[in-house]
Amino acid sequence: MEKQLAKYGVPADGIVTKLYIQRNRNSQTPYAIFNYTLNNKVWTQEVINNNSTIQVGDTLKLWCAKNDPEIFKVE
């Protein structure tokens, strides 16, 4: 993944569209779902929302592999 991003990485902005919490027996994990556009296509991904700091409508600064836009990291 890091090699793909280093070689093919481009910046993109992800817009948070939804938040949810995945509950397990002994824990719960908050997630943020976001959309971003790359290669003239809209992609939808999710990330763990540590400390629930991400809110709906927030912009996430991303680094995406232009040859495989599903490979990304939040800056």
Side-chain angles (χ1 to χ4, degrees):
M1 179 178 118
E2 290 296 324
K3 286 184 179 181
Q4 289 275 44
L5 290 174
K7 189 171 183 178
Y8 302 107
V10 294
D13 288 336
I15 305 299
V16 178
T17 58
K18 184 178 177 183
L19 304 174
Y20 75 94
I21 296 176
Q22 182 176 13
R23 290 179 170 80
N24 296 330
R25 186 174 300 185
N26 297 324
S27 67
Q28 50 187 22
T29 306
Y31 286 88
I33 298 173
F34 61 94
N35 296 328
Y36 57 100
T37 302
L38 199 63
N39 301 334
N40 296 317
K41 183 177 176 188
V42 176
W43 302 86
T44 301
Q45 297 286 353
E46 63 183 38
V47 291
I48 293 177
N49 188 1
N50 289 327
N51 302 322
S52 298
T53 54
I54 301 170
Q55 299 298 317
V56 171
D58 284 358
T59 299
L60 303 179
K61 296 295 182 187
L62 308 173
W63 195 249
C64 304
K66 64 184 173 190
N67 63 330
D68 187 353
E70 291 187 309
I71 297 175
F72 72 93
K73 72 176 177 179
V74 177
E75 295 285 290

